[in-house]
Amino acid sequence: MYLARPALDERCRCCRGHRAADRQRPAIACKGSNMTIHQGSCLCGNVTFAIKGDLPPPSACHCTACRKHSGHFEASVDIPRSALTVTGEAFVGWYQSSEKVRRGFCKTCGSTLFWDPIFHDWTAVAMGAFDTPTHTKIAQHIFVSEKGDYYDIADGLPQNQS
Ligand SMILES: [Zn+2]
Ligand SMILES: [Zn+2]
């Protein structure tokens, strides 16, 4: 099978920092290889996203709104907007669940995608939407006081009541 190679002067896809031609030589490591790109999508694929950089530890929110929006509890990771690229934005529906927060979902398939505090410069991205390895772990539970009665939290992580 023939695989097209990038033109010699094309920038490396992973970091755009050096020539792709350099990357094809195994002796020269990609200097940008530490810059991880995480990718995710909704169930139908109309919405995709890419996140530059490592993911911080997610939180699992057990509040009533997250439970209803996600169908269980909502694990999500806070990402600076500058590091988040969303493709298919026209397919994202927004529901304003409180004065300061809107929740993003795919209008076609209903996937829970974003928790967006509109007065901040970051967006929480739902962990269930990731396609690539996240290389992170949930660090804490929040709003445990509102959790459902049909499950126990038994992973030993901190449980915050609010
Ligand atoms: Zn979808
Ligand atoms: Zn919540």
Side-chain angles (χ1 to χ4, degrees), residues 60-67 73-74 76 103 115 142-143 146:
C61 185
H62 300 258
C63 82
T64 303
C66 283
R67 287 172 48 213
F73 59 83
E74 187 164 329
S76 62
R103 292 166 186 267
W115 187 94
I142 58 175
F143 287 96
E146 296 180 24

Side-chain angles (χ1 to χ4, degrees), residues 16 22 59 102:
R16 314 244 169 229
D22 293 340
S59 298
R102 59 180 192 158

Side-chain angles (χ1 to χ4, degrees), residues 22-153:
D22 293 340
R23 194 158 188 234
Q24 290 167 5
R25 285 185 233 139
I28 301 173
C30 175
K31 291 197 182 86
S33 58
N34 293 330
M35 177 58 95
T36 320
I37 306 282
H38 297 278
Q39 291 174 310
S41 58
C42 64
L43 181 56
C44 74
N46 279 345
V47 184
T48 61
F49 60 83
I51 294 166
K52 259 190 242 171
D54 291 336
L55 301 178
S59 298
C61 185
H62 300 258
C63 82
T64 303
C66 283
R67 287 172 48 213
K68 289 185 184 292
H69 192 244
S70 69
H72 186 23
F73 59 83
E74 187 164 329
S76 62
V77 62
D78 298 344
I79 303 296
R81 293 232 177 90
S82 57
L84 173 66
T85 307
V86 178
T87 306
E89 254 179 300
F91 293 99
V92 179
W94 292 101
Y95 173 68
Q96 184 124 12
S97 56
S98 68
E99 201 184 317
K100 296 175 180 170
V101 172
R102 59 180 192 158
R103 292 166 186 267
F105 56 93
C106 174
K107 288 194 274 192
T108 306
C109 68
S111 292
T112 298
L113 295 170
F114 308 115
W115 187 94
D116 192 39
I118 53 185
F119 298 116
H120 293 277
D121 59 356
W122 54 272
T123 298
V125 178
M127 295 310 292
F130 282 85
D131 293 314
T132 51
T134 63
H135 299 300
T136 188
K137 294 276 182 203
I138 291 173
Q140 61 168 349
H141 298 275
I142 58 175
F143 287 96
V144 169
S145 58
E146 296 180 24
K147 86 172 199 49
D149 63 359
Y150 61 94
Y151 61 92
D152 296 314
I153 303 171

